[in-house]
């Protein structure tokens, strides 16, 4: 399997040249982009090529996707991105009812149409807030995907768990739409307290209400049954990309090394 790595995990461990060299040497074949690596796409692509890395997936804000798609397209083409992913919706912009979330899904559907016409795939990336129940007992994730039936889903399994839900029924229900997966682990109780991601996390201002006191962990060293989940995802989903992520690691080399070593055993 070509394991990928979300570069947001390494934002605090510059320069990028060193990060990419490390990832290539550890055996990663792919990386996933985010806004922090798009300033000079041509130069970044050269570093990717030098280290034998591809960037088939990339995160782009809803604002960029809706209002500056030509810029998104140029960045994607330069870096080799074929699957565009919308990663987040800031707290102040989140709807509070079914109609609002279906309206947001309709916005994503429009972006998906634009992306498809331009030759790209498109997917929504979840956090925890999409699994918080609304007044009628339903959850936003269902409404988003129902209103945008032709877009994919980059499933962040650890955020599904943080949202209080079980990933397996979601894999059963939407497996054919899962285009990519964030492979992230949650620390055991009392561990990873200095890697909780509370400082400078996410792609905006995360609502941390649902986050307990335990932190994140290296993949395979936490509480999530990744061996079982990888089997389920391989059997029941359309996922092509499996992307390692840790929101706030204190040692990027350790996280990247131990995570791919564990993942290779699945």
């Amino acid at each position: 399997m070509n394991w990928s790595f979300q570069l947001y995990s390494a934002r605090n461990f510059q320069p990028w040249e060193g990060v990419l060299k490390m990832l290539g040497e550890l055996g990663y074949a792919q990386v996933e982009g985010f806004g922090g690596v798009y300033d000079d796409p041509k130069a970044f692509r050269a570093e990717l090529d030098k280290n034998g890395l591809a960037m088939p997936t990339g995160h782009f804000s809803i604002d960029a996707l809706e209002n500056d798609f030509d810029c998104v397209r140029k960045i994607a083409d330069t870096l080799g991105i074929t699957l565009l992913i919308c990663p987040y919706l800031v707290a102040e912009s989140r709807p509070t009812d079914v109609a609002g979330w279906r309206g947001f899904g309709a916005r994503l559907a429009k972006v998906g149409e634009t992306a498809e016409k331009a030759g790209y795939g498109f997917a929504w990336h979840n956090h925890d807030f999409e699994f918080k129940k609304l007044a009628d007992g339903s959850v936003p994730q269902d409404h988003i995907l129902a209103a945008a039936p032709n877009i994919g889903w980059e499933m962040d399994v650890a955020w599904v768990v943080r949202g209080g839900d079980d990933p397996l029924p979601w894999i059963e229900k939407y497996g054919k739409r899962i285009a990519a997966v964030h492979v992230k682990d949650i620390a055991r109780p009392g561990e990873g307290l200095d890697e909780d991601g509370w400082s400078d996390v996410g792609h905006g201002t995360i609502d941390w209400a649902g986050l307990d006191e335990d932190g994140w962990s290296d993949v395979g060293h936490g509480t999530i049954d990744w061996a079982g989940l990888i089997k389920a995802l391989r059997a029941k989903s359309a996922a092509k990309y499996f992307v390692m992520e840790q929101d706030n690691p204190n040692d990027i080399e350790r996280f990247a090394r131990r995570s791919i070593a564990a993942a290779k055993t699945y």
Side-chain angles (χ1 to χ4, degrees), residues 244-259:
M244 305 291 184
E245 185 184 47
Q246 212 272 43
D247 285 346
N248 195 35
N250 58 24
D251 183 331
I252 194 64
E253 191 278 339
R254 184 213 71 227
F255 165 68
R257 172 175 44 80
R258 295 214 306 169
S259 295

Side-chain angles (χ1 to χ4, degrees), residues 79-185:
L79 290 169
I81 296 169
T82 56
L83 177 63
L84 310 176
I85 300 167
C86 182
Y88 197 62
L89 188 64
V90 295
E92 57 269 27
S93 297
R94 292 176 203 158
T96 57
D97 57 17
V98 172
W101 282 111
R102 285 187 173 266
F104 178 65
R107 290 171 62 189
L108 293 178
K110 281 191 175 182
V111 172
E113 290 173 5
T114 301
E116 184 179 13
K117 288 177 182 176
Y120 307 98
F122 178 65
W124 166 250
H125 172 89
N126 69 278
H127 284 76
D128 60 342
F129 58 85
E130 298 94 321
F131 299 90
K132 301 298 184 181
K133 289 185 179 179
L134 301 173
D136 67 349
S138 63
V139 294
Q141 184 71 3
D142 273 323
H143 300 303
I144 291 170
L145 294 177
N150 296 318
I151 73 169
W153 176 15
E154 180 176 59
M155 185 183 195
D156 191 312
V157 171
W159 276 121
V160 175
V161 175
R162 289 288 200 199
D165 222 324
D166 179 353
L168 286 173
W170 288 92
I171 295 169
E172 290 276 357
K173 186 175 183 179
Y174 291 110
K176 291 181 180 179
R177 296 181 62 181
I178 298 174
V181 178
H182 266 204
V183 183
K184 182 157 59 181
D185 216 333

Side-chain angles (χ1 to χ4, degrees), residues 17-65:
E17 291 86 346
V19 170
L20 298 178
K21 182 175 185 292
M22 174 197 70
L23 293 175
E25 290 174 347
L26 288 174
Y28 289 90
Q30 301 171 348
V31 294
E32 183 169 80
F34 77 108
V37 303
Y38 298 152
D39 289 344
D40 189 345
K42 187 176 181 181
F44 206 88
R45 176 62 183 267
E47 288 299 320
L48 291 174
D49 292 346
K50 183 192 301 183
N51 291 286
L53 295 166
M55 187 186 286
T57 65
H59 286 191
F60 295 89
S61 71
I62 185 66
D63 181 65
L65 290 162

Side-chain angles (χ1 to χ4, degrees), residues 200-224:
D200 190 28
V201 150
H203 303 266
T205 305
I206 282 181
D207 174 9
W208 289 100
L211 184 63
D212 61 30
E213 64 180 7
D214 302 315
W216 307 109
S217 86
D218 300 344
V219 175
H221 296 266
T223 60
I224 293 181

